[in-house]
Amino acid sequence: MSRTDSLHRAAVLGSPIAHSLSPVLHRAAYAELGLADWSYDRFEVDEEALPGFVEELGPEWAGLSLTMPLKRAVIPLLDEISETATSVEAVNTLVFTEDGRRVGDNTDIPGMVAALRERGIEQVESAAILGAGATASSALAALARICTGEVVAYVRSEARAAEMRQWGERLDIEVRTAAWAEAERGLSAPLVIATTPAGATDALAGAVPERPTTLFDVLYDPWPTELAARWSAYGGAVVSGLDLLVHQAVLQVEQMTGCKAAPVGAMRRAGERALAERG
């Protein structure tokens, strides 16, 4: 059922949250869809404050977007959680149903798949993941849907390597781990997903192959990263963190509002403008 006939609220929660582009993307969608009675805000909320915040929300609330450090903290507060979110123990979307139930989902994973599909990547024979943080597990879950062979994860510690292998077993995808010092080798994979913090892959820019394939760099600010800039200069395809942010937000808008097709183009343009204004 579409929620278009009365006032509805949504917001993004996290800590820190001031940098979030989610309000820009969701509000752009509402404007394009003609949802004049919808609002979308941001709130600084940490793990300790989350239960009380959720409990105090009234019936006008349609949903919440959740960023770090709340993606796992929200799980005990839910009445239902999707298989996708369960697979990585992370919820980035909370939808309040009309009968008051709290339903959790993860749109990062299908968002990654959609961002790749938009660039013509439907399936790959193998892939490399740079890094092993929270985003890396979502990347593995996305690859479980499109990768037919081995995924090599380049990590900085044996503890991280063990985590990635465990995620591979859980997600039923073949994962081999290698030391970060060998990450240059991964750049020749059919698909490279960089999940590391800003600056972490800068030293790899000089090792981009002459004919690069596809790089999915989950960062978006500052953009481009040195790796993405060199990759693009050599003619390789680059999928950015903004692409991911837009596609996961598209799915959130559709779930929260009941609209069947959120406006991808309008949301991306709004995000690009907002990033340009940040300088």
Side-chain angles (χ1 to χ4, degrees), residues 129-151:
I129 294 179
L130 307 179
T135 306
S137 61
S138 291
L140 264 183
L143 288 171
R145 302 183 179 194
I146 67 168
C147 184
T148 60
E150 182 183 67
V151 175

Side-chain angles (χ1 to χ4, degrees), residues 21-278:
L21 278 180
S22 291
V24 170
L25 302 181
H26 284 252
R27 290 169 186 170
Y30 298 166
E32 189 76 9
L33 293 167
L35 300 180
D37 294 329
W38 280 72
S39 66
Y40 190 101
D41 303 294
R42 65 164 67 89
F43 293 95
E44 182 85 13
V45 177
D46 61 16
E47 292 168 285
E48 184 178 355
L50 181 62
F53 184 95
V54 172
E55 286 295 334
E56 293 176 4
L57 298 181
E60 73 276 15
W61 282 86
L64 298 171
S65 305
L66 301 155
T67 186
M68 298 304 292
L70 305 179
K71 293 185 178 183
R72 288 191 179 176
V74 74
I75 292 176
L77 309 179
L78 302 174
D79 297 305
E80 181 181 335
I81 180 173
S82 70
E83 288 186 15
T84 300
T86 300
S87 72
V88 290
E89 297 179 357
V91 168
N92 77 330
T93 307
L94 194 170
V95 174
F96 299 100
T97 65
E98 294 188 351
D99 60 1
R101 300 176 72 251
R102 304 168 184 167
V103 179
D105 193 14
N106 185 309
T107 64
D108 287 330
I109 295 165
M112 283 187 175
V113 174
L116 288 166
R117 184 180 297 121
E118 187 177 42
R119 303 302 175 88
I121 308 298
E122 299 277 353
Q123 190 177 83
V124 291
E125 295 180 356
S126 61
I129 294 179
L130 307 179
T135 306
S137 61
S138 291
L140 264 183
L143 288 171
R145 302 183 179 194
I146 67 168
C147 184
T148 60
E150 182 183 67
V151 175
V152 182
Y154 293 87
V155 300
R156 294 185 182 276
S157 70
E158 178 51 39
R160 290 291 198 180
E163 288 178 9
M164 289 298 283
R165 290 192 294 268
Q166 289 171 0
W167 279 117
E169 291 177 7
R170 178 168 180 163
L171 295 164
D172 195 25
I173 184 169
E174 183 181 358
V175 175
R176 178 167 63 85
T177 55
W180 182 257
E182 302 175 15
E184 291 184 4
R185 297 182 184 180
L187 302 185
S188 60
L191 172 61
V192 180
I193 304 182
T195 69
T196 50
T201 61
D202 289 356
L204 297 175
V208 173
E210 290 186 5
R211 295 182 178 180
T213 51
T214 299
L215 170 69
F216 194 155
D217 194 325
V218 302
L219 296 176
Y220 62 86
D221 188 17
W223 184 262
T225 62
E226 289 190 25
L227 180 62
R230 181 68 64 91
W231 200 279
S232 182
Y234 280 21
V238 176
V239 183
S240 74
L242 180 60
D243 294 319
L244 168 58
L245 197 63
V246 167
H247 280 285
Q248 64 83 27
V250 161
L251 296 169
Q252 289 184 335
V253 168
E254 291 171 356
Q255 289 189 28
M256 293 179 190
T257 68
C259 294
K260 293 183 178 180
V264 179
M267 295 169 72
R268 177 179 281 111
R269 289 190 295 273
E272 289 171 343
R273 285 194 299 271
L275 289 175
E277 290 170 2
R278 291 182 183 181

